[in-house]
Amino acid sequence: MQVTLDINKQMVFVVLLFMAVLSVVYLSYHPPKLTTQAVKKNLQFVWRKNDARSGTQSWFNSSAVTDQQTLTSWGAPIMWEGTFNPVERDEFYRKKKAVIGLTVFAIGRYLDRYLKDFLESAEQHFMKGHRVIYYVMVDIASKVPVLQLSPGRNLAVIEVPRQSRWQDISMMRMQQISDLIQDQIRFEVTYLFCFDVDQVFVGRFGVEALADSVAQIHSAFFASNRNKFTYERSPKSAAYIPLDEGDFYYHAAVFGGRPDLVLNLTRTCLEGIIRDKSNKVEAIWHDESHLNRYFLDHKPAKLLSPEYCWDLKPAKHIRYVRLKWLPKDYKKLRDN
């Protein structure tokens, strides 16, 4: 009886072993569809993660503009009129309940000359139909003009100390923005844009410009070769960029992104400025030089074409001007 049971066990073991071998052979020639689909999905995810085009195809039409560059080498979109649907973008960010912050720095004669026009034009064109908080940094709070704000839009006035030199006013802006983000802005807004005050909005500057980090291509250098960019060329400066490096020349008059990433930008630039001062060095274009160094090391997620910050000269490739520079008399403005 014991022998019979042992034989039966052996037979069962042999049969199971034989079935297992058959299964392995079968699966090697007929892999299950579920496994194949999982592999394909994984490969597809990796490709999308590394190719920014796939992430923007649903809303960004890079082929809409054929005479200008619409994507960077790292896949970030360059915003031009026609590459996006403004109605779709407005609806998308309205559903997200985005709140957009705007910082502007107006010191001395810049406050008297430019702030009123800047704010009034922003009410007409900047993120229209969305919630906005203006953070107006001035040296004399009583001079801030009274503004009729649309529903859902607010204005905060922050009084900041005045510097003796205009170069220091320009560079210390990074410190003021950094402190304000840390203490207040990061708790109140989803995205943040930082502007120079000597500009005026003349067309839609909308939510299509929003991204984790946003850089403005300088209109004066958009069509220039890299060797023409006025980067800081002294190796002694923290803003130094070698002749064989650089992607675009960015304008410090406009930059933005998520508050935490704008904070990282302003802190990094401030650290570079402080380091330069300790070494008795001053970058050629002050905070803008440090901003260009930053964006070389930290590629922006979105670039704004010169439409978003244009001068007064007509140009064939500028079909739609959204923000333009105002005439400047630097001798009068910077004579403190």
Side-chain angles (χ1 to χ4, degrees), residues 160-208:
V160 297
R162 184 172 180 175
Q163 304 294 325
S164 58
R165 298 189 316 140
W166 70 264
Q167 294 93 335
D168 292 329
I169 292 173
S170 174
M171 291 189 289
M172 288 302 106
R173 177 180 68 145
M174 291 296 183
Q175 179 175 354
Q176 302 300 335
I177 294 172
S178 180
D179 291 346
L180 192 59
I181 294 173
Q182 180 66 34
D183 296 341
Q184 182 176 352
I185 291 176
R186 63 193 178 104
F187 304 111
E188 298 178 341
V189 306
T190 319
Y191 298 96
L192 177 67
F193 265 99
C194 305
F195 289 91
D196 280 355
V197 72
D198 50 355
Q199 310 175 96
V200 63
F201 294 91
V202 293
R204 173 192 169 97
F205 197 115
V207 291
E208 72 281 352

Side-chain angles (χ1 to χ4, degrees), residues 52 54-61 77 79-100 127-131 191 204-212 214 301-302 304 308 322:
S54 63
T56 58
Q57 279 180 349
S58 62
W59 66 268
F60 183 72
N61 183 2
M79 304 305 298
W80 293 93
E81 175 69 6
T83 58
F84 62 93
N85 181 335
V87 175
E88 183 276 331
R89 289 289 83 192
D90 280 334
E91 184 63 23
F92 176 82
Y93 282 100
R94 202 169 285 119
K95 287 180 180 178
K96 288 184 68 173
K97 298 181 179 179
V99 181
I100 302 99
M127 306 294 168
K128 195 166 184 178
H130 297 271
R131 295 171 63 194
Y191 298 96
R204 173 192 169 97
F205 197 115
V207 291
E208 72 281 352
L210 300 177
D212 287 351
V214 183
K302 183 176 288 182
L304 303 182
Y308 288 82
R322 305 170 188 278

Side-chain angles (χ1 to χ4, degrees), residues 45-59:
F45 172 76
V46 172
W47 178 81
R48 285 181 178 173
K49 184 177 180 181
N50 291 324
D51 187 346
R53 298 187 190 191
S54 63
T56 58
Q57 279 180 349
S58 62
W59 66 268

Side-chain angles (χ1 to χ4, degrees), residues 9-107:
K9 287 181 179 179
Q10 291 175 4
M11 290 179 65
V12 169
F13 175 76
V14 170
V15 169
L16 291 174
L17 180 62
F18 180 71
M19 291 176 66
V21 171
L22 283 178
S23 298
V24 171
V25 173
Y26 177 81
L27 289 173
S28 65
Y29 288 97
H30 303 84
K33 292 183 179 180
L34 181 61
T35 303
T36 303
Q37 290 174 352
V39 171
K40 285 182 178 178
K41 286 182 179 178
N42 185 55
L43 289 173
Q44 190 177 39
F45 172 76
V46 172
W47 178 81
R48 285 181 178 173
K49 184 177 180 181
N50 291 324
D51 187 346
R53 298 187 190 191
S54 63
T56 58
Q57 279 180 349
S58 62
W59 66 268
F60 183 72
N61 183 2
S62 61
S63 60
V65 174
T66 57
D67 60 343
Q68 299 298 327
Q69 184 178 351
T70 57
L71 287 167
T72 67
S73 60
W74 60 93
I78 302 175
M79 304 305 298
W80 293 93
E81 175 69 6
T83 58
F84 62 93
N85 181 335
V87 175
E88 183 276 331
R89 289 289 83 192
D90 280 334
E91 184 63 23
F92 176 82
Y93 282 100
R94 202 169 285 119
K95 287 180 180 178
K96 288 184 68 173
K97 298 181 179 179
V99 181
I100 302 99
L102 181 159
T103 70
V104 63
F105 203 76
I107 301 294

